[in-house]
Amino acid sequence: MRFIDLFAGLGGFHVGLANNGHKCVFACEIDSELRELYKFNYGIDPFDDVTKIDVTKIPNHEIICAGFPCQPFSLAGRKKGAECPKSGKLIEHVIRIADYHSPKFILLENVPNIVTIANGTFWKYLTNSFENIGYKIYHKIISPVDIGIPQNRKRIFVIGVRKDIDKGIFNWPKTTGLKTVNLSKILNKNNIHKNLESPKTNLLKHWQKLLDQLSISELRSTSIVAPEFGATYPHNFSKLPFAEMKKYKGAYGQSLTKCKSWKEIMQRMPNYTKKKNKIPDWLLKSALYTRELYTQNSDLCMEWSKTLEKKNNSWQILEWRGKFNDLNIYNHLVQFRASGIRILQANVAPSLISMTPTQIPIIPTETRYLSPYEAAKLQNLHKLKLLPHGTVKSFKALGNAVNAKIIEVITRNLNIDYGILR
Ligand SMILES: C[S@@+](CC[C@H](N)C(=O)[O-])C[C@H]1O[C@@H](n2cnc3c(N)ncnc32)[C@H](O)[C@@H]1O
């Protein structure tokens, strides 16, 4: 079948569909570098802005693909949904093109919360709009791990089937489950990669030293919040009188007794308390757990914190999301996130996301970051002739891309299921 690739990016839809023998006849991408790359990789020169497309100029096709921009809908985004003036309404143009051309299938991908955003009004708008122009809409949340690829990346896949060929059911691919994936199979330190900077290497060693000496054998989805070592302040001190507050100890057990103003007190408090004069709810359980750890290991924790690098707030929190009974950082993956140093299971990579290339996963045993080629493998885009220039641009585009293997698997039986002859 012939397809058009709207919001083409790196061409995840293109690779997936081409692997099933389908042919791209038109593409559209606003980013000029990505357009150049698309031309180089696929020999098609994409149109630029979807809002400017004259539908009559688009060649006939059987499938529309559209991975419309997801920032307005992602949890990290501003949750404005379709109200977002810039990209929230781009779906209208997919509807406009589908209305004119009536292709057999519409294939969309986005973040799962497009279903719930704005109390479901965007999702209702999307499904109603396609129903009104003659499509039956099916959707399913699929992550690469579900089909044996070691990346956690839940995305919603939406397929519109033209009502005259619809069968009342869509044949989604069978999913296999997490246990079958193994990231080590795609890792290859001989690929061009960035080494981990020495302050970060030293920091990981320092945290491991603490874990080796603590009297614990497991950590269950909790964080060690180092500034809580020695702290005694009430976890919500927003209404506490100044004189009362001075009786407590702040970050790393700093005495508040001699403070002459709230300003001086706050200089001795953990950074995460500074916004609302309390430990934020998302950190409270871990902060209390850390205080408990401290009571059992106070000398050790105090000694260890003296040499902890403190100029970076997020380096003082270890977010344990790894194996609960293996407290060796080096048997895991690591991410330096704004909230803390996150330790993750080694068999599966976290979702590659576009907005923060600083979260590129780290392989601590090899003191290096995941390479763009390895990331491309996680998106099944590693056979492209060219990726964007440089690590940051590569990760941005790969983090935006749809997983090509999922598209391949979803569309594998389209011809057979709908009796479409090639
Ligand atoms: C979520 S990404 C889709 C990536 C693509 N599915 C892939 O596999 O790489 C959205 C893309 O839409 C592009 N875009 C944003 N606004 C656009 C517009 N008005 N017209 C065309 N493309 C646009 C962005 O540059 C970005 O590459």
Side-chain angles (χ1 to χ4, degrees):
M1 286 185 275
R2 294 160 296 179
F3 66 93
I4 66 168
D5 195 2
L6 305 177
F7 313 103
L10 278 183
F13 281 102
H14 190 126
V15 170
L17 284 164
N19 285 351
N20 286 328
H22 303 301
K23 185 176 163 45
C24 184
V25 291
F26 177 87
C28 169
E29 168 55 57
I30 205 160
D31 182 295
S32 58
E33 257 182 75
L34 290 175
R35 280 204 303 277
E36 283 290 309
L37 209 63
Y38 201 94
K39 195 172 167 193
F40 187 83
N41 281 325
Y42 308 106
I44 288 175
D45 195 359
F47 187 83
D48 52 8
D49 189 348
V50 78
T51 66
K52 309 266 161 55
I53 293 178
D54 173 354
V55 289
T56 64
K57 301 264 163 65
I58 299 178
N60 290 338
H61 52 273
E62 284 74 41
I63 309 172
I64 293 185
C65 304
F68 55 105
C70 67
Q71 271 92 335
F73 311 114
S74 69
L75 282 171
R78 282 160 297 156
K79 296 197 175 182
K80 280 192 179 164
E83 286 157 31
C84 177
K86 212 165 142 232
S87 36
K89 286 203 166 185
L90 290 175
I91 189 69
E92 275 179 13
H93 297 277
V94 184
I95 299 162
R96 178 170 71 91
I97 296 166
D99 192 20
Y100 182 84
H101 283 275
S102 290
K104 291 187 168 68
F105 304 102
I106 293 155
L107 189 47
L108 313 173
E109 181 244 15
N110 216 296
V111 288
N113 71 321
I114 59 163
V115 174
T116 51
I117 195 95
N119 290 326
T121 47
F122 176 76
W123 180 245
K124 217 174 196 171
Y125 161 74
L126 185 150
T127 49
N128 284 349
S129 304
F130 283 111
E131 297 252 334
N132 289 343
I133 60 167
Y135 290 87
K136 173 86 177 135
I137 296 293
Y138 301 91
H139 70 277
K140 188 173 168 77
I141 293 169
I142 308 177
S143 173
V145 287
D146 298 332
I147 58 161
I149 298 171
Q151 185 194 176
N152 272 318
R153 182 187 180 80
K154 279 189 183 158
R155 289 292 182 270
I156 190 164
F157 293 83
V158 180
I159 183 128
V161 182
R162 208 173 61 199
K163 282 180 185 162
D164 60 307
I165 58 166
D166 178 49
K167 305 198 154 169
I169 188 171
F170 185 76
N171 224 347
W172 292 104
K174 294 224 167 7
T175 51
T176 50
L178 186 71
K179 284 193 192 95
T180 55
V181 300
N182 189 352
L183 180 66
S184 64
K185 280 192 185 151
I186 75 137
L187 296 182
N188 183 350
K189 63 178 172 222
N190 297 326
N191 296 143
I192 296 168
H193 63 258
K194 197 173 154 223
N195 285 323
L196 188 64
E197 302 84 346
S198 50
K200 288 183 180 169
T201 307
N202 293 337
L203 184 71
L204 293 183
K205 275 192 203 148
H206 196 62
W207 271 102
Q208 187 59 50
K209 212 164 108 188
L210 179 73
L211 292 171
D212 289 344
Q213 292 174 2
L214 279 176
S215 58
I216 48 168
S217 53
E218 57 177 59
L219 278 172
R220 287 183 191 263
S221 285
T222 188
S223 303
I224 301 183
V225 189
E228 293 301 317
F229 287 157
T232 60
Y233 66 91
H235 48 80
N236 184 344
F237 53 94
S238 56
K239 294 199 175 103
L240 209 66
F242 175 66
E244 190 69 17
M245 185 70 180
K246 290 202 327 177
K247 294 181 189 159
Y248 295 103
K249 287 184 173 162
Y252 299 104
Q254 293 175 84
S255 168
L256 306 177
T257 323
K258 292 190 178 146
C259 291
K260 293 193 178 65
S261 62
W262 269 107
K263 194 174 164 206
E264 278 186 35
I265 284 185
M266 292 316 287
Q267 281 164 355
R268 289 163 179 76
M269 296 300 287
N271 193 59
Y272 45 80
T273 62
K274 292 185 179 170
K275 217 172 181 177
K276 294 192 171 163
N277 286 3
K278 61 182 256 196
I279 301 175
D281 295 344
W282 59 269
L283 201 61
L284 186 59
K285 199 170 139 245
S286 296
L288 295 179
Y289 171 74
T290 306
R291 287 191 187 190
E292 209 181 291
L293 261 187
Y294 178 78
T295 55
Q296 290 154 22
N297 305 270
S298 19
D299 291 346
L300 160 67
C301 293
M302 216 22 100
E303 203 48 39
W304 175 87
S305 13
K306 278 185 198 157
T307 43
L308 173 67
E309 176 55 79
K310 299 192 189 66
K311 67 174 180 246
N312 206 325
N313 293 317
S314 63
W315 289 13
Q316 302 173 51
I317 299 178
L318 190 75
E319 302 177 340
W320 197 269
R321 304 287 183 277
K323 278 192 179 165
F324 75 92
N325 58 358
D326 177 1
L327 301 189
N328 187 343
I329 292 174
Y330 297 89
N331 293 340
H332 292 84
L333 286 182
V334 176
Q335 255 183 328
F336 278 81
R337 299 172 71 103
S339 54
I341 308 163
R342 188 165 289 187
I343 311 299
L344 298 151
Q345 304 249 358
N347 65 332
V348 52
S351 181
L352 299 173
I353 56 168
S354 68
M355 285 189 292
T356 47
T358 49
Q359 292 181 13
I360 297 170
I362 289 159
I363 298 120
T365 38
E366 297 174 5
T367 54
R368 68 173 181 96
Y369 290 88
L370 194 77
S371 70
Y373 183 74
E374 289 162 332
K377 271 189 154 177
L378 291 174
Q379 292 288 58
N380 219 51
L381 292 171
H382 55 291
K383 290 193 181 148
L384 293 185
K385 284 185 249 168
L386 198 63
L387 284 174
H389 185 64
T391 309
V392 171
K393 281 188 184 159
S394 277
F395 272 90
K396 182 168 187 267
L398 286 165
N400 255 334
V402 62
N403 186 289
K405 194 74 189 174
I406 296 183
I407 296 301
E408 184 182 327
V409 173
I410 289 178
T411 58
R412 184 163 288 153
N413 293 326
L414 273 187
N415 287 65
I416 300 166
D417 287 353
Y418 292 89
I420 299 160
L421 298 174
R422 284 180 192 231

XYZ file of all heavy atoms in Angstrom, residues 1 4-5 14 27 29 38 47 64 72 114 188 233 297 325 336 352 382 385 401 404 416-417:
194
model
N 0.835 -1.198 0.000
C 0.000 0.000 0.000
C 0.873 1.251 0.000
O 2.022 1.207 0.427
C -0.916 -0.020 1.237
C -2.035 -1.020 1.100
S -3.209 -0.959 2.477
C -2.399 -2.012 3.663
N 1.423 7.982 3.542
C 2.014 9.307 3.714
C 2.448 9.433 5.179
O 1.812 8.907 6.079
C 1.073 10.469 3.288
C -0.163 10.556 4.192
C 0.677 10.328 1.824
C -0.957 11.849 3.992
N 3.580 10.108 5.376
C 4.226 10.166 6.683
C 4.180 11.623 7.175
O 5.035 12.431 6.811
C 5.681 9.678 6.503
C 6.362 9.342 7.816
O 5.701 9.438 8.868
O 7.561 8.980 7.782
N 7.871 5.190 8.618
C 8.389 4.823 7.292
C 9.098 3.464 7.347
O 8.800 2.563 6.553
C 9.359 5.916 6.813
C 9.743 5.757 5.378
N 9.593 6.759 4.453
C 10.261 4.704 4.699
C 10.002 6.333 3.267
N 10.423 5.075 3.401
N 5.783 12.996 2.435
C 6.135 13.166 3.845
C 6.064 14.646 4.187
O 6.072 15.501 3.286
C 7.533 12.618 4.118
N 7.465 17.435 7.364
C 8.227 17.626 8.606
C 8.694 19.077 8.655
O 9.294 19.583 7.716
C 9.423 16.649 8.645
C 10.456 16.903 9.712
C 9.890 16.970 11.141
O 9.248 16.001 11.566
O 10.091 18.005 11.806
N 15.744 13.097 6.169
C 14.714 12.219 5.588
C 15.016 12.002 4.104
O 14.931 10.897 3.584
C 13.335 12.856 5.779
C 12.179 11.885 5.708
C 11.658 11.304 6.851
C 11.587 11.553 4.482
C 10.593 10.419 6.803
C 10.519 10.676 4.411
C 10.017 10.118 5.574
O 8.953 9.239 5.511
N 7.564 17.889 2.611
C 6.944 19.204 2.672
C 7.205 19.739 4.076
O 7.452 18.964 4.996
C 5.432 19.047 2.418
C 4.685 20.350 2.292
C 4.660 21.038 1.090
C 4.019 20.889 3.392
C 3.973 22.240 0.978
C 3.336 22.092 3.283
C 3.319 22.770 2.083
N -2.558 6.839 6.127
C -1.973 8.088 6.657
C -1.284 7.735 7.962
O -1.886 7.095 8.833
C -3.060 9.143 7.003
C -3.758 9.649 5.756
C -2.454 10.318 7.777
C -4.750 10.776 6.036
N 2.331 18.709 24.061
C 1.164 19.256 24.756
C 0.416 18.202 25.573
O -0.357 18.546 26.439
C 0.265 19.775 23.634
C 1.116 19.830 22.434
C 2.215 18.851 22.610
N -3.186 11.010 26.168
C -4.096 11.786 25.302
C -5.538 11.346 25.550
O -6.480 12.059 25.233
C -3.790 11.709 23.775
C -3.848 10.280 23.262
C -2.503 12.378 23.426
C -3.979 10.262 21.721
N 27.064 -2.356 22.967
C 28.356 -2.611 22.331
C 29.248 -1.397 22.559
O 29.050 -0.349 21.958
C 28.157 -2.852 20.826
C 29.453 -3.190 20.146
O 30.535 -3.067 20.746
N 29.380 -3.608 18.893
N 14.243 18.443 61.785
C 13.186 19.460 61.620
C 11.843 18.778 61.263
O 11.844 17.716 60.646
C 13.596 20.475 60.532
C 13.690 19.864 59.148
C 12.605 19.842 58.287
C 14.886 19.282 58.694
C 12.681 19.261 57.033
C 14.975 18.701 57.446
C 13.870 18.689 56.616
O 13.935 18.101 55.375
N 22.783 4.042 61.596
C 24.151 4.096 61.032
C 24.714 5.512 61.130
O 25.352 6.006 60.198
C 24.134 3.717 59.544
C 23.491 2.380 59.248
O 24.157 1.364 59.227
N 22.182 2.381 59.014
N 17.028 -6.429 45.915
C 17.970 -7.148 46.779
C 19.398 -7.202 46.217
O 20.202 -8.024 46.622
C 17.455 -8.561 47.059
C 17.248 -9.333 45.762
O 17.453 -8.779 44.676
N 16.840 -10.580 45.866
N 21.070 10.359 35.462
C 21.168 11.566 36.289
C 19.963 12.439 35.974
O 19.915 13.099 34.952
C 22.480 12.311 36.006
C 23.634 11.722 36.754
C 24.290 10.600 36.281
C 24.049 12.273 37.952
C 25.341 10.036 36.993
C 25.104 11.721 38.671
C 25.751 10.599 38.189
N 13.344 6.480 25.989
C 14.172 7.556 25.438
C 13.233 8.728 25.260
O 12.190 8.606 24.631
C 14.734 7.142 24.080
C 15.627 5.915 24.091
C 15.962 5.521 22.668
C 16.901 6.185 24.877
N 18.221 1.645 13.636
C 19.680 1.565 13.517
C 20.146 1.294 12.093
O 21.318 1.409 11.801
C 20.225 0.484 14.467
C 19.596 -0.856 14.274
N 18.284 -1.093 14.601
C 20.086 -2.016 13.783
C 17.999 -2.354 14.325
N 19.078 -2.929 13.822
N 20.744 5.193 7.092
C 22.086 5.533 6.597
C 22.713 6.580 7.512
O 23.895 6.573 7.772
C 21.976 6.098 5.172
C 21.732 5.035 4.119
C 21.749 5.656 2.727
C 20.362 5.623 2.122
N 20.175 6.396 0.942
N 10.850 9.751 18.188
C 10.433 8.827 17.125
C 9.487 7.748 17.648
O 9.470 7.414 18.829
C 11.661 8.179 16.489
N 9.941 1.761 15.416
C 9.639 1.255 14.075
C 9.179 -0.204 14.102
O 8.353 -0.623 13.281
C 10.858 1.409 13.178
N -3.460 -8.965 4.536
C -4.167 -10.249 4.644
C -5.516 -10.048 5.328
O -6.561 -10.456 4.817
C -3.315 -11.259 5.457
C -1.979 -11.487 4.744
C -4.055 -12.571 5.670
C -0.938 -12.189 5.585
N -5.481 -9.358 6.496
C -6.707 -9.188 7.288
C -7.806 -8.475 6.511
O -8.987 -8.738 6.722
C -6.401 -8.402 8.575
C -5.637 -9.254 9.583
O -5.475 -10.456 9.320
O -5.192 -8.709 10.609
